[in-house]
Amino acid sequence: MKKNKVNARVFTSLLLVLVFISLIFTGCKMGVDKEYEYNTEILSNENAPVEGDADVAAITGYVEDSEQKLAQLPYSISDTDLVVTSIGKYSGVYSELGENEDVSEILAVVVENTSDKVVSYSSLTIEYDDEKACSFSPTNLPPHQSALVFSNSEAVPYADVKKFECTDSMAVMAKELPLLKDVVGVDFVDGQFVVTNLTPDDLGDVYIRYKTCTDGNAFLGGITYSVTVPDVKGYETYKVDAENFDETSSVIIAVENLKTE
């Protein structure tokens, strides 16, 4: 009889422990939804630029002015690791101001990051005629890679360019571009990013940053686009609009998160 009472107490204790554990995990997911189990990688683009010189003759819409006497190339930008390797004119889609408008024969330059770090942000003021200046802002440019950039104040007709002199410059460097590899998966479906948290941890806000690339081993424009996925929970999947993203010409360069206390 005493043995039965002990067994009953043990059973009751075990039952209470199981109930307690169940209460702890109530509402907590133990894995990614089956529909999104495939989403374990961050979308890549095989046409993305790589380290090495840009092939300026292959850059879509760009014509190098091989006879220009505006500046001696390569033209080093003071106080930065940026070098202008080509000057010419561009016709095509202009997006430095975040608006995709067609332009014809505007001033464009190929800028190379010659350092082993990322040019997170930069600003170059170029005087292109007496008392006339414009600015260029290559952003998130990886080490030893190039970008074809345009004035970000307004498109400058190449016919108006009489000189090329950098009068002010600065660059903010970063060790690397963060990429939450094995932490999130990022796919692109029907104009949206599909973002899956592969871990049980809450990640806070997740930022996806991407750039446009072109033929010729270069990025197109200095602009970096960014999409925010707010308050990302463990094992959850989210869909967010990805404006200006194109699978054939866009490159995800960074995925990072910010936890809010």
Side-chain angles (χ1 to χ4, degrees), residues 98-246:
E99 300 175 359
N100 296 325
E101 60 176 292
D102 290 329
V103 295
S104 178
E105 298 191 344
I106 66 169
L107 170 63
V109 298
V110 177
V111 178
E112 181 182 352
N113 173 11
T114 62
S115 77
D116 294 325
K117 294 184 178 181
V118 177
V119 176
S120 180
Y121 174 81
S122 65
S123 178
L124 324 174
T125 300
I126 302 296
E127 189 171 300
Y128 64 89
D129 198 356
D130 293 340
E131 299 183 358
K132 290 184 179 181
C134 61
S135 61
F136 297 81
S137 293
T139 62
N140 294 305
L141 186 58
H144 307 291
Q145 294 190 29
S146 299
L148 178 72
V149 296
F150 325 107
S151 168
N152 60 15
S153 47
E154 61 178 349
V156 176
Y158 192 70
D160 293 348
V161 180
K162 308 303 181 186
K163 60 192 295 189
F164 190 93
E165 181 182 353
C166 183
T167 59
D168 192 25
S169 58
M170 60 84 69
V172 177
M173 310 299 286
K175 184 177 180 181
E176 60 185 3
L177 289 165
L179 206 61
L180 296 178
K181 187 178 179 181
D182 299 326
V183 176
V184 299
V186 180
D187 195 10
F188 179 74
V189 180
D190 295 332
Q192 293 184 311
F193 285 134
V194 180
V195 183
T196 301
N197 184 356
L198 305 173
T199 75
D201 302 323
D202 294 344
L203 300 178
D205 295 342
V206 170
Y207 302 89
I208 303 170
R209 311 197 193 279
Y210 52 100
K211 297 179 69 68
T212 302
C213 66
T214 181
D215 292 337
N217 195 36
F219 290 100
L220 182 63
I223 189 172
T224 299
Y225 301 100
S226 183
V227 167
T228 304
V229 189
D231 197 21
V232 174
K233 301 297 185 182
Y235 293 127
E236 291 288 354
T237 294
Y238 303 82
K239 295 181 179 181
V240 292
D241 291 338
E243 189 177 1
N244 295 307
F245 189 88
D246 185 300

Side-chain angles (χ1 to χ4, degrees), residues 4-23:
N4 287 338
K5 286 183 179 180
V6 170
N7 288 338
R9 287 173 184 169
V10 170
F11 176 80
T12 301
S13 298
L14 288 173
L15 184 61
L16 289 172
V17 169
L18 290 173
V19 170
F20 179 72
I21 293 174
S22 177
L23 288 173

